[in-house]
Amino acid sequence: MKKIFFTTLFLASYLLANNEISTNYTYKDYENSKTKTKGKTFDYRFLHNFENSQIVINYEDSLTKRENELTKLKMTSLEVEKLSMKYLYYINDDLSFKTSFINIEDNLAPTDNGKVYGFGMIKSIDNSNQIKIDTYLSDYDDFNVNQYDLTVVKKFKLDNINLEAQLGSKYININGQNYGNYVLKDNYFLSYFFNINANYNGFILGLGFIDGDRLFAIQDEGLKVEHHALEQNKTYLISLGKRFKNMDLISRYIYSNANELPENRDNVNSRFMSLGIKYKF
């Protein structure tokens, strides 16, 4: 998977113009988890605009260390690779459609070899308002997941500050009950999210939160998936960055509270700290 991504990235970067290449490093810290202690994730992303289309390819490589809670003996680390793609087609200035796909490789979870398919629509009401509708199907060996997203986008300006706010909901329906040896008790989840981003002379500030339960949720417009049986309850995010002519620097801090379902462990806290760079050419 890694070789396919980087070969594609090299050829596309060499042959094509109007591209973006980005990489992001995330340090992960877990509190009150049954086995997880800390970890790291590398994301490599390629974006290309052409004619009325845009394509995005993302490769994610993640390692999470584990240990026995009582003896503190090291356990097999969790190793995950994901390859995701998104294609966006602009019908006109007011309407566009998108499709997305994710492939999951996991050395421990029952969701190994899972596939996620997405389809969505973006409708511009005017220059300041948009509506996004997305639907996703996650296909795993023992169950599948349907997710439906509705997002309202508002762009506005305060003096010299450009702002964009998003308010939306995620409805998740799980078809099936078996996650390995664990039997899923709930099949329906509903969560709400809000985020706002501000840009002042190239300086970027972002704030966001997700409230409500979610399980096996799709994020980042179909490029990310939470494929473990970790029932998320609340998530908070803050980001800071600087935008230059051809390059962006961005840092993020994400705090989440969740329940590890197979381990029967509540109130698991995770803290993700990331640093990313994006180059346009």
Side-chain angles (χ1 to χ4, degrees):
M1 186 183 294
K2 184 183 295 187
K3 291 181 179 179
I4 294 173
F5 174 81
F6 284 107
T7 300
T8 303
L9 177 63
F10 173 78
L11 293 175
S13 302
Y14 181 76
L15 297 174
L16 303 174
N18 202 10
N19 301 323
E20 292 181 6
I21 294 178
S22 60
T23 182
N24 190 82
Y25 168 76
T26 302
Y27 172 78
K28 303 182 294 185
D29 180 67
Y30 297 92
E31 177 186 353
N32 199 41
S33 173
K34 186 75 172 179
T35 60
K36 297 176 183 176
T37 56
K38 59 184 178 179
K40 59 184 178 181
T41 297
F42 289 94
D43 279 282
Y44 306 93
R45 185 168 296 190
F46 171 77
L47 181 151
H48 175 60
N49 291 296
F50 59 102
E51 297 181 353
N52 296 326
S53 301
Q54 181 189 91
I55 186 169
V56 182
I57 303 173
N58 190 85
Y59 171 73
E60 175 185 333
D61 188 9
S62 180
L63 174 70
T64 302
K65 295 184 178 181
R66 303 163 66 242
E67 67 179 23
N68 184 284
E69 186 177 31
L70 298 177
T71 66
K72 302 303 179 182
L73 293 176
K74 302 299 181 183
M75 302 173 62
T76 301
S77 295
L78 177 64
E79 300 178 17
V80 178
E81 289 183 271
K82 298 176 187 174
L83 183 64
S84 58
M85 292 168 279
K86 181 182 73 172
Y87 173 73
L88 182 66
Y89 181 75
Y90 300 95
I91 303 296
N92 52 47
D93 292 339
D94 299 326
L95 182 64
S96 58
F97 292 93
K98 76 176 181 70
T99 61
S100 60
F101 172 76
I102 305 175
N103 181 73
I104 303 165
E105 293 185 5
D106 190 306
N107 67 324
L108 296 177
T111 44
D112 179 37
N113 292 320
K115 308 288 190 297
V116 181
Y117 308 91
F119 180 79
M121 178 192 76
I122 304 172
K123 172 63 178 176
S124 295
I125 308 303
D126 51 40
N127 292 332
S128 302
N129 299 279
Q130 285 183 337
I131 295 177
K132 298 181 180 181
I133 300 174
D134 296 288
T135 180
Y136 302 99
L137 170 64
S138 303
D139 183 20
Y140 303 111
D141 286 342
D142 297 324
F143 64 96
N144 57 62
V145 183
N146 295 305
Q147 177 175 315
Y148 308 94
D149 292 4
L150 175 63
T151 309
V152 178
V153 183
K154 174 70 175 180
K155 299 178 182 179
F156 57 102
K157 194 170 184 177
L158 294 176
D159 294 329
N160 294 323
I161 305 175
N162 295 308
L163 298 110
E164 180 178 297
Q166 297 191 27
L167 176 66
S169 63
K170 293 180 179 291
Y171 174 75
I172 296 173
N173 174 26
I174 301 175
N175 298 308
Q177 293 184 317
N178 296 321
Y179 177 85
N181 296 324
Y182 177 78
V183 177
L184 299 169
K185 297 178 176 61
D186 297 315
N187 297 96
Y188 301 96
F189 300 87
L190 181 62
S191 60
Y192 304 92
F193 60 90
F194 174 79
N195 61 69
I196 185 167
N197 294 288
N199 187 330
Y200 175 73
N201 289 337
F203 291 94
I204 303 168
L205 170 65
L207 300 171
F209 72 87
I210 307 175
D211 189 31
D213 296 338
R214 67 186 193 271
L215 185 64
F216 306 119
I218 314 301
Q219 306 283 6
D220 198 8
E221 297 191 347
L223 292 171
K224 292 283 189 174
V225 57
E226 300 165 350
H227 70 287
H228 291 147
L230 186 67
E231 183 180 343
Q232 303 278 357
N233 301 316
K234 295 182 183 295
T235 300
Y236 302 94
L237 177 148
I238 183 171
S239 60
L240 295 169
K242 180 68 172 72
R243 180 165 293 167
F244 301 93
K245 182 179 179 180
N246 296 317
M247 184 177 66
D248 296 349
L249 294 174
I250 189 76
S251 61
R252 293 185 182 88
Y253 175 82
I254 301 174
Y255 169 83
S256 293
N257 179 264
N259 302 323
E260 292 179 336
L261 298 182
E263 295 85 357
N264 194 28
R265 176 61 59 90
D266 296 337
N267 200 32
V268 177
N269 299 315
S270 60
R271 297 171 178 85
F272 295 176
M273 291 150 281
S274 67
L275 181 63
I277 183 171
K278 177 169 64 178
Y279 180 70
K280 306 173 185 178
F281 59 98

